[in-house]
Amino acid sequence: MKPIAVFQHTEVGAPGSVVPILQALGREVRCIRIVDGEPVPEDASAFSGLVFMGGYMGVHDDLPWIAQELALIRDAAACGLPLAGHCLGSQMLAQALGGSVARHPLPEIGWQPLQTEDHPVARDWWGEFAGTEVQTFQWHADAFQPPAEAVRIARSRHCESQAYVLHDRHLLLQSHLEMTPALVEVSMARNGHQLVRQHAQGNPAVSDPGDLLNDLEARTSRMRSVLARLYARWVQGCA
């Protein structure tokens, strides 16, 4: 079976629990480290699926690898390969496949509730988590509008475009269900000033800075269980 490619764009945007989840599902994973200057593959057919992680940049930034990844996404979709995106990755999928990306009125940062939908498509992907509130980790200032054919499977109080499924195989996740304790810690160390500033300004879509590092093992473990359910469904589309 061909490997699944996982694209890492920044240090903070590491794959976290994604790689061990995919490996536990019996899939070979190849990490493509854009953060270290590794080139974007020109041909999607070398892989059985593509996963795009987050990053501080935006889809409209003038960076050569962004245009190359958008082209690769379109190539993969044309070949019927499943795609998944986390935060920036979800925005890149939306941009490449007929949606759009713009600045969101309220940056979402920190621990936030995610309301999963309860309809047949959502139940197929979320399983026992369908129709429930699950905690997720947010860190985004932009947000996507999905392609017209996409089906929403989750929303948050401050952002409707949280999780979508497109063509029964592509998964767009605005939030960071992949976080590990180490990634939460490095996010706070590198970018905590953003959270502190937004909290001081009264942004209701950010969590208390004093709570961000609490109960990391339990919080990230619960998110990993949720994400594992999503990827167990997603890998069914990997040839």
Side-chain angles (χ1 to χ4, degrees):
M1 184 176 294
K2 296 176 182 179
I4 293 170
V6 177
F7 292 76
Q8 180 180 350
H9 307 116
T10 66
E11 177 194 8
V12 177
S17 64
V18 170
V19 172
I21 285 173
L22 291 174
Q23 291 173 335
L25 290 167
R27 307 293 170 151
E28 179 186 350
V29 178
R30 177 187 165 195
C31 290
I32 298 177
R33 294 179 56 83
I34 306 299
V35 63
D36 292 333
E38 188 171 349
V40 176
E42 296 182 0
D43 184 6
S45 66
F47 306 101
S48 62
L50 306 178
V51 179
F52 297 85
M53 304 310 301
Y56 59 82
M57 57 287 294
V59 299
H60 303 296
D61 289 354
D62 187 19
L63 297 170
W65 62 262
I66 290 181
Q68 293 163 5
E69 285 195 9
L70 292 174
L72 184 68
I73 289 168
R74 288 188 286 267
D75 178 44
C79 295
L81 297 181
L83 302 161
H86 297 246
C87 200
L88 171 65
S90 70
Q91 296 163 16
M92 295 184 73
L93 265 60
Q95 181 74 16
L97 301 179
S100 62
V101 178
R103 186 68 64 177
H104 194 261
L106 289 174
E108 288 187 301
I109 303 176
W111 302 103
Q112 300 289 334
L114 194 67
Q115 181 61 51
T116 64
E117 303 283 358
D118 189 11
H119 51 69
V121 174
R123 289 192 291 273
D124 185 35
W125 284 80
W126 291 114
E128 68 270 27
F129 301 109
T132 69
E133 187 175 273
V134 298
Q135 190 178 60
T136 192
F137 190 82
Q138 305 273 10
W139 210 300
H140 69 101
D142 291 348
F144 66 85
Q145 287 298 316
E149 305 88 349
V151 178
R152 187 176 67 193
I153 62 170
R155 66 189 188 277
S156 71
R157 179 180 303 173
H158 304 288
C159 181
E160 291 291 310
S161 296
Q162 282 292 336
Y164 281 81
V165 172
L166 179 63
H167 301 319
D168 201 37
R169 68 172 67 92
H170 309 315
L171 179 63
L172 288 69
L173 295 172
Q174 179 60 74
S175 69
H176 292 279
L177 287 168
E178 79 278 4
M179 298 300 278
T180 64
L183 282 180
V184 176
E185 290 169 352
V186 74
S187 295
M188 190 61 177
R190 300 286 192 276
N191 303 313
H193 60 281
Q194 299 172 6
L195 171 59
V196 172
R197 181 174 66 250
Q198 289 290 326
H199 188 264
Q201 292 173 354
N203 182 353
V206 303
S207 58
D208 185 340
D211 179 56
L212 194 81
L213 300 178
N214 289 337
D215 301 321
L216 291 185
E217 289 290 346
R219 282 169 153 171
T220 58
S221 177
R222 287 193 293 269
M223 289 197 304
R224 176 170 174 159
S225 296
V226 173
L227 188 59
R229 179 62 182 83
L230 290 174
Y231 270 113
R233 171 60 178 81
W234 182 82
V235 298
Q236 293 177 19
C238 294

